[in-house]
Amino acid sequence: MYDYLKGRLVSKQINSYRGSHIVIDVNNIGYFVLTGKSTIERLKDNEEVKIYVSLSHKEDSMSLTGFITKEERDIFNILQSVSGIGVKLALLILDEFSITELIDIMIREDSKELSRAKGVGVKVAQKIIIELKDKLINWSNVTPVDVSDIQTKEVEKEAIIEVQSVLISLGYSTNEAKSAIKEVLNYKKECKKTEDILKYSLEFLSRMT
């Protein structure tokens, strides 16, 4: 229903009985948007903002949750696909870890590291990793990136495929993923690992939106 809201940031609250939130004025309509501490700390009062939102629909209420980047919003939605993970816990996880850190944890299956997030015990962390790893890295449905025109001898093919898989799971097209990966491999020669290629690919794609 909604992809993003673009308007003036009217207020922001981290500690509130209604939860951490911001209010955005869009054409004289104030939108109440739940969000995390890490998002609020990057915003300034009265600035013009573009917030990517997710609509949550319960039996007796609807709410919007917002993020500065599309990737954060999409990872938030993916987290909520795990049974027992709601808005509050998904926000706490994203307050603790960046996108690349979180995806790296999934790839390494590091439940101990994931359990550092408030409200996430080891068993919950293991459940999240089991349910989400395949969603983030869907090997069977991904066509390998054509990197024949790039010098990639020192970069493992598996790392490139993992990055493309994650980008596609976040809603990017195959062509967008290929363009980002090629850009990184051409201009960031030091990138050899999955998490490094992913980090700069996301930065490249964020500049394109």
Side-chain angles (χ1 to χ4, degrees), residues 80-144:
Q80 285 194 98
S81 69
V82 178
S83 58
I85 304 296
V87 171
K88 184 177 180 180
L89 189 52
L91 286 174
L92 288 173
I93 293 171
L94 288 171
D95 272 343
E96 183 67 34
F97 304 105
S98 69
I99 295 173
T100 51
E101 287 173 338
L102 187 58
I103 293 173
D104 182 49
I105 286 171
M106 299 295 171
I107 293 170
R108 292 186 290 106
E109 300 184 18
D110 192 344
S111 57
K112 184 177 180 180
E113 178 71 8
L114 183 57
S115 66
R116 286 200 297 108
K118 186 177 180 181
V120 179
V122 174
K123 289 185 177 180
V124 173
Q126 291 171 341
K127 181 180 181 181
I128 292 172
I129 289 172
I130 290 170
E131 293 193 28
L132 292 192
K133 185 175 181 181
D134 286 342
K135 292 180 181 180
L136 289 172
I137 306 173
N138 191 351
W139 295 83
S140 61
N141 293 329
V142 175
T143 302

